[in-house]
Amino acid sequence: MILSVFANLNNKETEIIAKEMLSVLKNSGCEVFFDEKYRNLLSDSLCSFSEDANLMEICDIAVAIGGDGTTMKTAKKAAIFGKPALGINGGRLGFLSGIERNELNLLQDVVNGNYQLDERIMLKAELIENEKTVKTFHCLNDAIFSRGDFARLIDIEVTSGGRELMTTRADGVIISTPTGSTAYSLAAGGPVLSPDLQCFEVTSICPHSLMDRSIVVGSGNTLLVKISSDVSNNAILTCDGEPPAAVSSDTQVAVSLSPYKARLVKIKPDNFYEVMKKKLVDRRV
């Protein structure tokens, strides 16, 4: 088995976890690859190196060490290559992580094939200008439409099949997958969705309304989003926390089901609701 590790080893804590992981896997028979740029840092460790561009292609499992952002980025890239991803929590919440730092001994189960794959749908967001797609994003968590430089409300219209789904004046709108329902959407008052559901959740951000609730739609729908704002303001689209794209009043964004699915390595017996209670209610690991 080949494991490729995706981590920022310039972070001291992440470096320590990576070296602890290598110690656990020392006699496991699997080969562990790191980015070539960390060769000097890991010169005393038993591992292999390759250019970052090749790491995903050569591995059987992609391993992310860090917080949920690192795991999400790695899982999305792994999905495009058809590879599973395992998150080792080196951050704070670690909701997407398969194991915690004090559970590295469970890596032996991965090597022995004693794990399951938790499949998650992703969404696709396409920026359309003059009836042409100019940019495409694939999101594991969410596509967020929000106001730009000024603290002014924007008008957002969401339609499906030519029919109005939501029209709101707000700071923005979040369209999330079930995986993303425990992220920003939850903070904005949206419901928690089981990750095995095939649907999207549409949640307003600080709407100027006394009656505004999240809407859940089937993932077979294509949602069209249009935004208008005053002449001195602008709106942006942020997908999974990546650098934003400008959204003008002449731009449409089509949100639909991505052809890719993320596959997260699951080792522990905890189900989704038990993990949610630990991470979001009890705040323990």
Side-chain angles (χ1 to χ4, degrees):
M1 175 180 285
I2 296 177
L3 306 179
S4 287
V5 180
F6 298 84
N8 175 19
L9 299 190
N10 294 319
N11 180 299
K12 192 62 181 178
E13 286 301 310
T14 304
E15 177 193 346
I16 292 172
I17 296 172
K19 290 181 177 179
E20 290 176 351
M21 180 194 76
L22 288 172
S23 178
V24 169
L25 295 174
K26 187 175 181 180
N27 298 311
S28 66
C30 72
E31 191 170 8
V32 183
F33 277 84
F34 284 84
D35 191 326
E36 180 69 40
K37 67 183 179 183
Y38 296 125
R39 182 180 289 272
N40 291 336
L41 190 64
L42 298 174
S43 58
D44 296 331
S45 302
L46 186 62
C47 59
S48 302
F49 301 91
S50 180
E51 294 296 330
D52 180 69
N54 300 325
L55 286 175
M56 193 62 74
E57 187 174 357
I58 64 177
C59 73
D60 296 304
I61 296 176
V63 178
I65 303 176
D68 281 325
T70 301
T71 300
M72 181 168 58
K73 183 178 179 181
T74 302
K76 286 203 302 181
K77 187 175 181 180
I80 294 173
F81 281 81
K83 305 290 180 73
L86 169 65
I88 299 176
N89 187 20
R92 289 173 293 181
L93 193 59
F95 202 86
L96 294 176
S97 299
I99 59 175
E100 303 295 327
R101 177 178 177 174
N102 63 348
E103 299 172 328
L104 292 177
N105 60 300
L106 294 177
L107 287 170
Q108 192 60 52
D109 287 334
V110 176
V111 176
N112 294 336
N114 298 325
Y115 62 85
Q116 296 177 324
L117 292 178
D118 186 5
E119 198 169 79
R120 308 286 184 92
I121 66 167
M122 295 167 56
L123 63 81
K124 178 174 67 173
E126 299 173 283
L127 268 71
I128 302 171
E129 296 177 358
N130 299 319
E131 300 184 352
K132 293 183 179 180
T133 299
V134 296
K135 202 162 190 178
T136 301
F137 302 89
H138 295 276
C139 311
L140 177 55
N141 261 7
D142 45 37
I144 300 170
F145 302 85
S146 57
R147 57 179 171 79
D149 301 328
F150 300 99
R152 299 174 185 166
L153 300 179
I154 55 178
D155 293 301
I156 307 164
E157 179 187 63
V158 183
T159 60
S160 177
R163 295 180 179 273
E164 180 183 309
L165 183 71
M166 173 188 286
T167 299
T168 184
R169 170 163 279 198
D171 277 356
V173 161
I174 305 163
I175 301 180
S176 73
T177 64
T179 298
S181 72
T182 55
Y184 192 9
S185 183
L186 175 65
V192 172
L193 303 178
S194 177
D196 58 354
L197 294 176
Q198 304 289 309
C199 59
F200 300 138
E201 179 181 322
V202 186
T203 302
S204 299
I205 305 170
C206 296
H208 192 235
S209 170
L210 294 176
M211 297 294 292
D212 192 294
R213 294 290 183 268
S214 299
I215 298 174
V216 177
V217 298
S219 60
N221 293 275
T222 295
L223 307 180
L224 285 180
V225 182
K226 295 181 180 179
I227 299 177
S228 59
S229 58
D230 60 61
V231 292
S232 59
N233 200 9
N234 64 315
I236 56 175
L237 167 64
T238 306
C239 293
D240 283 350
E242 296 177 0
V247 180
S248 71
S249 58
D250 298 322
T251 304
Q252 286 190 99
V253 181
V255 177
S256 60
L257 183 66
S258 170
Y260 304 111
K261 288 187 177 182
R263 294 185 295 159
L264 302 177
V265 172
K266 178 176 168 32
I267 310 169
K268 297 184 290 184
D270 306 35
N271 66 27
F272 168 73
Y273 302 101
E274 291 170 329
V275 172
M276 182 177 65
K277 185 174 185 296
K278 290 178 182 178
K279 299 286 187 177
L280 298 178
V281 180
D282 299 340
R283 289 296 178 117
R284 70 175 192 267
V285 297

